[in-house]
Amino acid sequence: MKYETGKTYEEIQLGEVASFSKTITEFDIYQFAGICGDFNPMHVNEAYAGKTKFKSRIAHGPLTQSLIAPVLGSKLPGLGTVLLELCCRFRAPVYINDTITAIAEVTEKLDEKKWIRLRLTWSNQNGMAVSEGHAIVMPPRPL
Amino acid sequence: MKYETGKTYEEIQLGEVASFSKTITEFDIYQFAGICGDFNPMHVNEAYAGKTKFKSRIAHGPLTQSLIAPVLGSKLPGLGTVLLELCCRFRAPVYINDTITAIAEVTEKLDEKKWIRLRLTWSNQNGMAVSEGHAIVMPPRPL
Amino acid sequence: MKYETGKTYEEIQLGEVASFSKTITEFDIYQFAGICGDFNPMHVNEAYAGKTKFKSRIAHGPLTQSLIAPVLGSKLPGLGTVLLELCCRFRAPVYINDTITAIAEVTEKLDEKKWIRLRLTWSNQNGMAVSEGHAIVMPPRPL
Amino acid sequence: MKYETGKTYEEIQLGEVASFSKTITEFDIYQFAGICGDFNPMHVNEAYAGKTKFKSRIAHGPLTQSLIAPVLGSKLPGLGTVLLELCCRFRAPVYINDTITAIAEVTEKLDEKKWIRLRLTWSNQNGMAVSEGHAIVMPPRPL
């Protein structure tokens, strides 16, 4: 069996962009809570969340953040990528039924280690950047 | 209905520590792939992963990272916390059936904004730090 | 422990009918995406799907199709059935909250192999056939 | 927001191939049973399955089949594809922990309707074709 592989360090260009989009549903928030164990009422208690400044349940920050994983793992660099560092600043709440687009842009090639630095942005359906951050990844080598 | 609340900015002490532990299972990795859309073969293809330097399927980095969420959201500061920034460096692979302990320690109180900075460590059952990072959070205020 | 068993080849009559119904929810579509890895925006991105001719997210074709499995596996022929062939033509979209009825009708008994051929129809709550197809199965033999 | 799009009818070449691989786990089989309602003991009852000729629980045929969805929906033709017909013959059992590769190859371009016919093969980690079939799809047009 021969596997496809993502882009190698040499193939990746500064400024390259890739993205992944998904509508965040109640299902996602509840599944995520069930995996990570974060049952903060802001996420899973509508009666509580309705009384806060957010007015309704919001997605876990790391759930939103995780939508960058298929970008890095399947597109840029793609299959075989190893994630080394991931940072995220959460700017605005993500509500149930918001459609989030996670975008990665290559901003630096680290020649010594052959690692890639990417600027990350997570936007909602209105084009608002709900989160921003960066990742450092090791692109795949052919098996 | 009166809700519990986490520690306020004033109550939180420098050096305070809290943690959350979970054995990462195949179930967790497959659920996580299903939420975030990352089906990188390193995570869901044993035939492929077995040929890589990791020798077996590994957990998504953001999955390991997410185990800090119940620490911040339920313990330190606790219920009502808003996560502002989350950074993580992935040092070593997490395998199916590894038991991960996510630890947060208060390292700084940001007086102007009343935010808290915490050092984060994720260790496996052998005491190896598989990931390290930090978070900045806004502690809860009573409703 | 003695198990129930489905109908044997000899017991099955031409023209016999069985069905299974379920309301397809957002939960089903998101779970299904998470199992099979198909995050086509038609299924999980409302902002995208809203701009297409379908106007909203639709179920994966193979998800609709899978509702025939409990018919074949639990009713006709029933427990112990082995599915040999499954074909489906997708005629109309299935939306979140559509109630789908999967119907199997015995159309042929293949005497040499003792296999059964069934006509399959999947209808929505308005009686529209959203999909049509056929299956060939090997009925159970008692243990 | 501008979306990526898959290959158009004109761009697709006869003989093009794409694939998707995943290790089928107990989790997948149980989740699939929970979506489609097929609790045939061959899939979810080890005590029963152990006494059959298969010797152990096997995956639902439509679960194996569904792994072609991300190939058609994300690679060939890719985003925006509409699935019109899907046929599958199940040749050999798929067991828990088998790694299945779903492969699609373009075998025909239907000029009048601008549809594509693809030969489908599902192989396990030993290279055995556990299933074979075909699909007819409508490739995406740009929004």
Side-chain angles (χ1 to χ4, degrees):
Chain A
M1 178 68 206
K2 206 169 159 305
Y3 294 99
E4 301 169 55
T5 185
K7 295 182 177 183
T8 62
Y9 181 78
E10 289 71 21
E11 292 169 331
I12 294 167
Q13 307 288 325
L14 284 178
E16 273 194 81
V17 170
S19 67
F20 178 74
S21 297
K22 187 183 176 190
T23 302
I24 301 284
T25 65
E26 188 179 68
F27 166 87
D28 292 305
I29 295 172
Y30 277 62
Q31 288 274 65
F32 196 85
I35 294 175
C36 78
D38 178 6
F39 289 77
N40 189 309
M42 211 71 101
H43 306 306
V44 297
N45 185 328
E46 185 62 28
Y48 172 95
K51 292 181 187 167
T52 68
K53 66 174 176 175
F54 294 120
K55 304 296 185 198
S56 186
R57 285 167 295 169
I58 61 173
H60 303 74
L63 165 53
T64 300
Q65 192 188 36
S66 74
L67 296 185
I68 203 66
V71 180
L72 304 175
S74 300
K75 295 181 176 178
L76 183 62
L79 298 185
T81 297
V82 176
L83 180 58
L84 300 171
E85 182 173 315
L86 181 60
C87 288
C88 188
R89 289 177 303 285
F90 303 100
R91 299 271 190 228
V94 172
Y95 292 101
I96 292 173
N97 294 328
D98 275 357
T99 299
I100 302 300
T101 300
I103 305 166
E105 179 186 354
V106 178
T107 52
E108 199 177 348
K109 297 181 72 173
L110 305 164
D111 278 338
E112 198 182 341
K113 302 234 184 195
K114 296 203 170 184
W115 292 351
I116 300 290
R117 186 184 173 101
L118 305 106
R119 178 189 302 133
L120 310 179
T121 313
W122 292 262
S123 299
N124 67 16
Q125 67 280 2
N126 303 316
M128 180 198 292
V130 295
S131 299
E132 294 175 323
H134 75 268
I136 297 176
V137 301
M138 183 168 63
R141 284 148 184 53
L143 287 181
Chain B
M1 174 74 201
K2 206 166 162 305
Y3 294 98
E4 299 170 58
T5 184
K7 295 183 177 184
T8 62
Y9 181 80
E10 290 71 21
E11 293 169 330
I12 294 167
Q13 307 289 323
L14 284 179
E16 275 194 80
V17 170
S19 68
F20 176 74
S21 298
K22 188 183 175 188
T23 302
I24 301 284
T25 65
E26 188 178 69
F27 166 89
D28 293 304
I29 295 172
Y30 273 61
Q31 285 274 60
F32 196 85
I35 294 174
C36 77
D38 180 5
F39 286 75
N40 190 309
M42 211 73 101
H43 307 306
V44 296
N45 184 328
E46 186 62 28
Y48 172 96
K51 293 181 188 167
T52 67
K53 66 173 176 178
F54 294 120
K55 304 293 185 201
S56 187
R57 286 168 294 170
I58 61 173
H60 302 75
L63 164 53
T64 300
Q65 191 189 38
S66 73
L67 296 185
I68 202 66
V71 180
L72 304 175
S74 300
K75 296 181 175 177
L76 182 63
L79 297 186
T81 298
V82 176
L83 181 57
L84 299 172
E85 182 173 316
L86 181 59
C87 286
C88 188
R89 287 177 303 285
F90 304 100
R91 299 271 190 227
V94 172
Y95 292 100
I96 292 173
N97 294 327
D98 275 359
T99 298
I100 302 300
T101 300
I103 305 166
E105 178 187 355
V106 178
T107 52
E108 198 177 348
K109 296 181 72 173
L110 305 163
D111 279 339
E112 197 182 343
K113 301 234 183 196
K114 299 203 169 182
W115 292 350
I116 300 289
R117 186 184 172 101
L118 306 106
R119 178 188 303 132
L120 310 179
T121 314
W122 292 262
S123 299
N124 68 15
Q125 67 280 4
N126 303 316
M128 180 197 293
V130 295
S131 298
E132 295 175 324
H134 75 267
I136 297 175
V137 301
M138 182 168 64
R141 283 144 184 55
L143 287 182
Chain C
M1 174 74 202
K2 202 164 164 309
Y3 294 98
E4 299 169 59
T5 184
K7 295 183 178 184
T8 62
Y9 182 79
E10 289 71 21
E11 293 169 329
I12 294 167
Q13 307 289 323
L14 283 179
E16 274 194 81
V17 171
S19 67
F20 177 73
S21 297
K22 187 182 176 191
T23 302
I24 301 284
T25 64
E26 188 178 70
F27 166 90
D28 293 305
I29 295 173
Y30 274 60
Q31 285 274 62
F32 196 85
I35 294 174
C36 77
D38 180 6
F39 287 75
N40 189 309
M42 211 73 100
H43 307 306
V44 297
N45 184 326
E46 186 62 28
Y48 172 95
K51 292 180 188 168
T52 68
K53 67 174 176 177
F54 295 119
K55 304 295 187 200
S56 187
R57 285 168 294 171
I58 61 173
H60 303 74
L63 164 53
T64 300
Q65 192 189 36
S66 74
L67 296 185
I68 202 67
V71 179
L72 304 175
S74 300
K75 296 181 176 177
L76 183 62
L79 298 185
T81 297
V82 175
L83 181 58
L84 299 172
E85 181 173 316
L86 181 59
C87 288
C88 188
R89 288 177 302 285
F90 304 100
R91 299 272 190 226
V94 172
Y95 293 101
I96 293 173
N97 295 328
D98 275 359
T99 299
I100 301 301
T101 300
I103 306 166
E105 179 186 354
V106 177
T107 53
E108 199 177 348
K109 296 181 72 173
L110 304 163
D111 279 339
E112 197 182 343
K113 302 233 182 196
K114 297 202 171 183
W115 292 349
I116 300 291
R117 185 183 173 101
L118 306 105
R119 178 189 301 132
L120 310 179
T121 313
W122 292 262
S123 298
N124 67 15
Q125 66 280 4
N126 303 314
M128 180 197 292
V130 295
S131 299
E132 294 174 325
H134 75 267
I136 297 176
V137 302
M138 182 169 63
R141 284 145 184 54
L143 286 181
Chain D
M1 176 68 205
K2 208 170 159 304
Y3 294 98
E4 301 169 57
T5 185
K7 294 182 178 184
T8 62
Y9 182 80
E10 288 72 20
E11 293 168 331
I12 294 167
Q13 308 287 326
L14 284 178
E16 274 194 80
V17 171
S19 67
F20 178 74
S21 297
K22 187 182 176 188
T23 302
I24 301 284
T25 66
E26 188 179 69
F27 166 88
D28 292 304
I29 294 172
Y30 276 63
Q31 288 274 64
F32 196 86
I35 294 175
C36 77
D38 179 6
F39 289 77
N40 189 310
M42 210 73 100
H43 307 306
V44 297
N45 184 328
E46 186 62 28
Y48 172 95
K51 294 181 189 167
T52 68
K53 66 174 178 177
F54 294 121
K55 305 293 187 200
S56 186
R57 286 168 295 170
I58 61 173
H60 303 74
L63 165 52
T64 300
Q65 192 189 36
S66 74
L67 296 185
I68 202 67
V71 179
L72 303 175
S74 300
K75 295 180 176 179
L76 182 62
L79 298 185
T81 297
V82 175
L83 180 59
L84 300 171
E85 182 173 317
L86 181 60
C87 288
C88 188
R89 288 178 303 284
F90 304 100
R91 299 270 191 227
V94 171
Y95 293 100
I96 292 173
N97 294 329
D98 275 357
T99 299
I100 301 301
T101 300
I103 305 167
E105 178 186 356
V106 178
T107 52
E108 198 178 348
K109 298 181 71 174
L110 304 164
D111 278 340
E112 199 181 341
K113 301 235 183 196
K114 297 203 170 182
W115 293 349
I116 299 291
R117 186 185 173 100
L118 306 105
R119 178 189 302 133
L120 309 179
T121 313
W122 292 263
S123 298
N124 67 15
Q125 67 280 2
N126 303 317
M128 179 197 294
V130 294
S131 299
E132 294 175 324
H134 76 267
I136 297 175
V137 302
M138 183 170 63
R141 284 147 183 53
L143 288 182

PDB file of all heavy atoms in Angstrom, chain C residues 107-124:
ATOM      1  N   THR C 107     -38.144  -9.619  -3.881  1.00  0.00           N
ATOM      2  CA  THR C 107     -38.533  -9.660  -5.294  1.00  0.00           C
ATOM      3  C   THR C 107     -38.035 -10.915  -6.003  1.00  0.00           C
ATOM      4  O   THR C 107     -38.476 -11.216  -7.110  1.00  0.00           O
ATOM      5  CB  THR C 107     -38.000  -8.433  -6.068  1.00  0.00           C
ATOM      6  OG1 THR C 107     -36.592  -8.335  -5.838  1.00  0.00           O
ATOM      7  CG2 THR C 107     -38.693  -7.163  -5.608  1.00  0.00           C
ATOM      8  N   GLU C 108     -37.104 -11.627  -5.377  1.00  0.00           N
ATOM      9  CA  GLU C 108     -36.564 -12.792  -6.075  1.00  0.00           C
ATOM     10  C   GLU C 108     -35.903 -13.741  -5.079  1.00  0.00           C
ATOM     11  O   GLU C 108     -35.249 -13.303  -4.131  1.00  0.00           O
ATOM     12  CB  GLU C 108     -35.510 -12.336  -7.109  1.00  0.00           C
ATOM     13  CG  GLU C 108     -35.218 -13.353  -8.186  1.00  0.00           C
ATOM     14  CD  GLU C 108     -34.225 -12.820  -9.228  1.00  0.00           C
ATOM     15  OE1 GLU C 108     -33.958 -11.588  -9.218  1.00  0.00           O
ATOM     16  OE2 GLU C 108     -33.707 -13.633 -10.018  1.00  0.00           O
ATOM     17  N   LYS C 109     -36.097 -15.043  -5.302  1.00  0.00           N
ATOM     18  CA  LYS C 109     -35.387 -16.063  -4.527  1.00  0.00           C
ATOM     19  C   LYS C 109     -34.428 -16.763  -5.471  1.00  0.00           C
ATOM     20  O   LYS C 109     -34.836 -17.307  -6.499  1.00  0.00           O
ATOM     21  CB  LYS C 109     -36.382 -17.054  -3.908  1.00  0.00           C
ATOM     22  CG  LYS C 109     -37.325 -16.401  -2.900  1.00  0.00           C
ATOM     23  CD  LYS C 109     -38.287 -17.397  -2.263  1.00  0.00           C
ATOM     24  CE  LYS C 109     -37.603 -18.319  -1.295  1.00  0.00           C
ATOM     25  NZ  LYS C 109     -38.564 -19.173  -0.547  1.00  0.00           N
ATOM     26  N   LEU C 110     -33.136 -16.708  -5.139  1.00  0.00           N
ATOM     27  CA  LEU C 110     -32.105 -17.259  -6.009  1.00  0.00           C
ATOM     28  C   LEU C 110     -31.803 -18.676  -5.524  1.00  0.00           C
ATOM     29  O   LEU C 110     -30.980 -18.893  -4.638  1.00  0.00           O
ATOM     30  CB  LEU C 110     -30.867 -16.362  -5.958  1.00  0.00           C
ATOM     31  CG  LEU C 110     -31.178 -14.896  -6.330  1.00  0.00           C
ATOM     32  CD1 LEU C 110     -30.060 -13.956  -5.880  1.00  0.00           C
ATOM     33  CD2 LEU C 110     -31.413 -14.756  -7.833  1.00  0.00           C
ATOM     34  N   ASP C 111     -32.502 -19.636  -6.115  1.00  0.00           N
ATOM     35  CA  ASP C 111     -32.539 -21.001  -5.583  1.00  0.00           C
ATOM     36  C   ASP C 111     -31.181 -21.673  -5.471  1.00  0.00           C
ATOM     37  O   ASP C 111     -30.904 -22.378  -4.492  1.00  0.00           O
ATOM     38  CB  ASP C 111     -33.457 -21.884  -6.446  1.00  0.00           C
ATOM     39  CG  ASP C 111     -34.924 -21.688  -6.081  1.00  0.00           C
ATOM     40  OD1 ASP C 111     -35.200 -21.223  -4.956  1.00  0.00           O
ATOM     41  OD2 ASP C 111     -35.775 -21.991  -6.930  1.00  0.00           O
ATOM     42  N   GLU C 112     -30.324 -21.438  -6.460  1.00  0.00           N
ATOM     43  CA  GLU C 112     -29.059 -22.167  -6.472  1.00  0.00           C
ATOM     44  C   GLU C 112     -28.219 -21.839  -5.235  1.00  0.00           C
ATOM     45  O   GLU C 112     -27.717 -22.720  -4.555  1.00  0.00           O
ATOM     46  CB  GLU C 112     -28.302 -21.833  -7.759  1.00  0.00           C
ATOM     47  CG  GLU C 112     -27.195 -22.822  -8.070  1.00  0.00           C
ATOM     48  CD  GLU C 112     -26.439 -22.412  -9.330  1.00  0.00           C
ATOM     49  OE1 GLU C 112     -26.965 -21.574 -10.112  1.00  0.00           O
ATOM     50  OE2 GLU C 112     -25.314 -22.911  -9.524  1.00  0.00           O
ATOM     51  N   LYS C 113     -28.114 -20.528  -4.971  1.00  0.00           N
ATOM     52  CA  LYS C 113     -27.279 -20.094  -3.841  1.00  0.00           C
ATOM     53  C   LYS C 113     -28.093 -19.924  -2.563  1.00  0.00           C
ATOM     54  O   LYS C 113     -27.535 -19.662  -1.512  1.00  0.00           O
ATOM     55  CB  LYS C 113     -26.625 -18.752  -4.190  1.00  0.00           C
ATOM     56  CG  LYS C 113     -25.770 -18.771  -5.455  1.00  0.00           C
ATOM     57  CD  LYS C 113     -24.392 -18.227  -5.160  1.00  0.00           C
ATOM     58  CE  LYS C 113     -23.525 -18.187  -6.412  1.00  0.00           C
ATOM     59  NZ  LYS C 113     -22.112 -18.031  -6.073  1.00  0.00           N
ATOM     60  N   LYS C 114     -29.404 -19.988  -2.668  1.00  0.00           N
ATOM     61  CA  LYS C 114     -30.278 -19.696  -1.528  1.00  0.00           C
ATOM     62  C   LYS C 114     -30.068 -18.271  -1.004  1.00  0.00           C
ATOM     63  O   LYS C 114     -29.954 -18.042   0.203  1.00  0.00           O
ATOM     64  CB  LYS C 114     -30.088 -20.740  -0.405  1.00  0.00           C
ATOM     65  CG  LYS C 114     -30.481 -22.138  -0.862  1.00  0.00           C
ATOM     66  CD  LYS C 114     -30.810 -23.034   0.304  1.00  0.00           C
ATOM     67  CE  LYS C 114     -31.416 -24.353  -0.194  1.00  0.00           C
ATOM     68  NZ  LYS C 114     -31.810 -25.222   0.915  1.00  0.00           N
ATOM     69  N   TRP C 115     -29.969 -17.346  -1.967  1.00  0.00           N
ATOM     70  CA  TRP C 115     -29.881 -15.934  -1.644  1.00  0.00           C
ATOM     71  C   TRP C 115     -31.226 -15.283  -1.957  1.00  0.00           C
ATOM     72  O   TRP C 115     -32.031 -15.812  -2.740  1.00  0.00           O
ATOM     73  CB  TRP C 115     -28.791 -15.236  -2.466  1.00  0.00           C
ATOM     74  CG  TRP C 115     -27.396 -15.668  -2.118  1.00  0.00           C
ATOM     75  CD1 TRP C 115     -26.990 -16.423  -1.059  1.00  0.00           C
ATOM     76  CD2 TRP C 115     -26.208 -15.368  -2.864  1.00  0.00           C
ATOM     77  NE1 TRP C 115     -25.639 -16.600  -1.084  1.00  0.00           N
ATOM     78  CE2 TRP C 115     -25.118 -15.971  -2.178  1.00  0.00           C
ATOM     79  CE3 TRP C 115     -25.940 -14.650  -4.036  1.00  0.00           C
ATOM     80  CZ2 TRP C 115     -23.801 -15.868  -2.629  1.00  0.00           C
ATOM     81  CZ3 TRP C 115     -24.639 -14.540  -4.481  1.00  0.00           C
ATOM     82  CH2 TRP C 115     -23.576 -15.146  -3.780  1.00  0.00           C
ATOM     83  N   ILE C 116     -31.452 -14.106  -1.387  1.00  0.00           N
ATOM     84  CA  ILE C 116     -32.695 -13.362  -1.584  1.00  0.00           C
ATOM     85  C   ILE C 116     -32.378 -11.993  -2.190  1.00  0.00           C
ATOM     86  O   ILE C 116     -31.418 -11.338  -1.765  1.00  0.00           O
ATOM     87  CB  ILE C 116     -33.405 -13.138  -0.218  1.00  0.00           C
ATOM     88  CG1 ILE C 116     -33.747 -14.473   0.445  1.00  0.00           C
ATOM     89  CG2 ILE C 116     -34.639 -12.250  -0.357  1.00  0.00           C
ATOM     90  CD1 ILE C 116     -34.833 -15.255  -0.253  1.00  0.00           C
ATOM     91  N   ARG C 117     -33.185 -11.574  -3.159  1.00  0.00           N
ATOM     92  CA  ARG C 117     -33.051 -10.230  -3.706  1.00  0.00           C
ATOM     93  C   ARG C 117     -34.238  -9.399  -3.237  1.00  0.00           C
ATOM     94  O   ARG C 117     -35.377  -9.866  -3.285  1.00  0.00           O
ATOM     95  CB  ARG C 117     -33.011 -10.275  -5.239  1.00  0.00           C
ATOM     96  CG  ARG C 117     -32.741  -8.914  -5.877  1.00  0.00           C
ATOM     97  CD  ARG C 117     -32.792  -9.006  -7.401  1.00  0.00           C
ATOM     98  NE  ARG C 117     -32.691  -7.713  -8.007  1.00  0.00           N
ATOM     99  CZ  ARG C 117     -31.575  -7.208  -8.546  1.00  0.00           C
ATOM    100  NH1 ARG C 117     -30.471  -7.925  -8.580  1.00  0.00           N
ATOM    101  NH2 ARG C 117     -31.565  -5.985  -9.054  1.00  0.00           N
ATOM    102  N   LEU C 118     -33.949  -8.188  -2.776  1.00  0.00           N
ATOM    103  CA  LEU C 118     -35.009  -7.308  -2.273  1.00  0.00           C
ATOM    104  C   LEU C 118     -34.954  -5.953  -2.965  1.00  0.00           C
ATOM    105  O   LEU C 118     -33.865  -5.410  -3.197  1.00  0.00           O
ATOM    106  CB  LEU C 118     -34.851  -7.086  -0.757  1.00  0.00           C
ATOM    107  CG  LEU C 118     -34.770  -8.353   0.102  1.00  0.00           C
ATOM    108  CD1 LEU C 118     -33.333  -8.594   0.552  1.00  0.00           C
ATOM    109  CD2 LEU C 118     -35.704  -8.263   1.294  1.00  0.00           C
ATOM    110  N   ARG C 119     -36.119  -5.421  -3.283  1.00  0.00           N
ATOM    111  CA  ARG C 119     -36.214  -4.045  -3.782  1.00  0.00           C
ATOM    112  C   ARG C 119     -36.219  -3.124  -2.565  1.00  0.00           C
ATOM    113  O   ARG C 119     -36.923  -3.378  -1.585  1.00  0.00           O
ATOM    114  CB  ARG C 119     -37.498  -3.847  -4.581  1.00  0.00           C
ATOM    115  CG  ARG C 119     -37.671  -2.402  -5.086  1.00  0.00           C
ATOM    116  CD  ARG C 119     -39.045  -2.176  -5.693  1.00  0.00           C
ATOM    117  NE  ARG C 119     -39.272  -3.082  -6.790  1.00  0.00           N
ATOM    118  CZ  ARG C 119     -40.380  -3.812  -6.957  1.00  0.00           C
ATOM    119  NH1 ARG C 119     -41.387  -3.708  -6.100  1.00  0.00           N
ATOM    120  NH2 ARG C 119     -40.500  -4.638  -7.985  1.00  0.00           N
ATOM    121  N   LEU C 120     -35.449  -2.045  -2.643  1.00  0.00           N
ATOM    122  CA  LEU C 120     -35.330  -1.115  -1.517  1.00  0.00           C
ATOM    123  C   LEU C 120     -35.872   0.253  -1.907  1.00  0.00           C
ATOM    124  O   LEU C 120     -35.640   0.733  -3.017  1.00  0.00           O
ATOM    125  CB  LEU C 120     -33.868  -0.968  -1.103  1.00  0.00           C
ATOM    126  CG  LEU C 120     -33.081  -2.270  -0.868  1.00  0.00           C
ATOM    127  CD1 LEU C 120     -31.640  -1.938  -0.493  1.00  0.00           C
ATOM    128  CD2 LEU C 120     -33.740  -3.130   0.182  1.00  0.00           C
ATOM    129  N   THR C 121     -36.587   0.849  -0.984  1.00  0.00           N
ATOM    130  CA  THR C 121     -37.066   2.225  -1.185  1.00  0.00           C
ATOM    131  C   THR C 121     -36.867   2.991   0.113  1.00  0.00           C
ATOM    132  O   THR C 121     -37.127   2.460   1.191  1.00  0.00           O
ATOM    133  CB  THR C 121     -38.570   2.241  -1.528  1.00  0.00           C
ATOM    134  OG1 THR C 121     -38.834   1.265  -2.534  1.00  0.00           O
ATOM    135  CG2 THR C 121     -39.002   3.614  -2.033  1.00  0.00           C
ATOM    136  N   TRP C 122     -36.409   4.207  -0.024  1.00  0.00           N
ATOM    137  CA  TRP C 122     -36.295   5.107   1.134  1.00  0.00           C
ATOM    138  C   TRP C 122     -37.215   6.301   0.859  1.00  0.00           C
ATOM    139  O   TRP C 122     -37.004   7.031  -0.119  1.00  0.00           O
ATOM    140  CB  TRP C 122     -34.874   5.615   1.297  1.00  0.00           C
ATOM    141  CG  TRP C 122     -33.865   4.574   1.689  1.00  0.00           C
ATOM    142  CD1 TRP C 122     -33.409   4.317   2.948  1.00  0.00           C
ATOM    143  CD2 TRP C 122     -33.148   3.667   0.835  1.00  0.00           C
ATOM    144  NE1 TRP C 122     -32.465   3.317   2.927  1.00  0.00           N
ATOM    145  CE2 TRP C 122     -32.290   2.900   1.642  1.00  0.00           C
ATOM    146  CE3 TRP C 122     -33.146   3.419  -0.549  1.00  0.00           C
ATOM    147  CZ2 TRP C 122     -31.442   1.909   1.123  1.00  0.00           C
ATOM    148  CZ3 TRP C 122     -32.311   2.441  -1.061  1.00  0.00           C
ATOM    149  CH2 TRP C 122     -31.477   1.692  -0.237  1.00  0.00           C
ATOM    150  N   SER C 123     -38.218   6.491   1.723  1.00  0.00           N
ATOM    151  CA  SER C 123     -39.185   7.581   1.515  1.00  0.00           C
ATOM    152  C   SER C 123     -39.099   8.568   2.664  1.00  0.00           C
ATOM    153  O   SER C 123     -38.788   8.192   3.790  1.00  0.00           O
ATOM    154  CB  SER C 123     -40.611   7.008   1.472  1.00  0.00           C
ATOM    155  OG  SER C 123     -40.750   6.118   0.394  1.00  0.00           O
ATOM    156  N   ASN C 124     -39.444   9.817   2.376  1.00  0.00           N
ATOM    157  CA  ASN C 124     -39.480  10.800   3.460  1.00  0.00           C
ATOM    158  C   ASN C 124     -40.903  10.945   4.005  1.00  0.00           C
ATOM    159  O   ASN C 124     -41.813  10.214   3.589  1.00  0.00           O
ATOM    160  CB  ASN C 124     -38.884  12.139   3.018  1.00  0.00           C
ATOM    161  CG  ASN C 124     -39.713  12.846   1.963  1.00  0.00           C
ATOM    162  OD1 ASN C 124     -40.877  12.493   1.732  1.00  0.00           O
ATOM    163  ND2 ASN C 124     -39.129  13.828   1.317  1.00  0.00           N
TER     164      ASN C 124
END
